[in-house]
Amino acid sequence: MEYIQHIQYMEYIQYVEYIQYMEYIQYMAYIQYVEYMQYVEYIQYMEYIQYMEYIQYMECIQYIQCMEYIQYMEYIQYMEYIQYVEYIQYMEYIQYMAYIQYMEYIQYALRFQRSLS
């Protein structure tokens, strides 16, 4: 009888150990699941950071393009102003040359008139 009780006790111990082992496996699976979820959250966070960096990069590129466009427009306005100034200077030069020719013509006409008298 004692032998049967001992066998029953050993079976009970094995059953308890089996239950504990299964609980341990479930616990380890839970820990692995938690670690996996933390890893997934980390990956999602890194993707979010990369996305935000991309947005900031695109905003920076748009800002640079905008500044380049503004500089280009200022350059065009400056060149138009320079061309306008050059045009004014050219017109003043033509007027000055016309004035000199007119004065030479007047002097020539006065000499011719004096030579006739």
Side-chain angles (χ1 to χ4, degrees):
M1 184 84 168
E2 218 174 270
Y3 178 72
I4 295 176
Q5 287 177 346
H6 178 70
I7 290 176
Q8 289 175 346
Y9 176 75
M10 291 303 288
E11 287 176 353
Y12 174 75
I13 295 291
Q14 287 177 350
Y15 177 73
V16 168
E17 288 175 352
Y18 175 76
I19 297 294
Q20 289 173 344
Y21 179 71
M22 293 305 289
E23 288 175 351
Y24 176 76
I25 290 175
Q26 289 176 346
Y27 175 72
M28 291 306 291
Y30 172 75
I31 288 178
Q32 288 179 345
Y33 173 76
V34 168
E35 289 175 354
Y36 172 75
M37 290 310 293
Q38 289 173 346
Y39 178 72
V40 167
E41 288 174 2
Y42 174 75
I43 296 294
Q44 290 172 345
Y45 177 71
M46 292 306 290
E47 290 174 349
Y48 174 76
I49 288 175
Q50 289 176 346
Y51 175 72
M52 291 307 292
E53 288 175 352
Y54 174 76
I55 289 175
Q56 291 173 350
Y57 172 76
M58 291 308 295
E59 289 173 352
C60 179
I61 293 295
Q62 289 174 348
Y63 175 77
I64 289 172
Q65 289 174 345
C66 180
M67 292 305 293
E68 288 175 349
Y69 178 74
I70 289 171
Q71 288 176 346
Y72 175 71
M73 292 307 293
E74 288 175 349
Y75 173 75
I76 288 175
Q77 289 176 347
Y78 174 74
M79 291 308 293
E80 288 174 352
Y81 173 74
I82 293 294
Q83 289 174 352
Y84 176 73
V85 169
E86 289 174 352
Y87 174 76
I88 296 296
Q89 290 173 345
Y90 179 70
M91 292 306 291
E92 289 174 349
Y93 174 75
I94 289 174
Q95 288 175 347
Y96 176 71
M97 292 305 290
Y99 174 74
I100 289 176
Q101 288 176 351
Y102 174 72
M103 291 306 288
E104 288 176 354
Y105 173 75
I106 294 294
Q107 288 176 357
Y108 176 76
L110 289 174
R111 283 189 204 142
F112 182 71
Q113 228 178 16
R114 287 185 194 148
S115 68
L116 289 178
S117 34

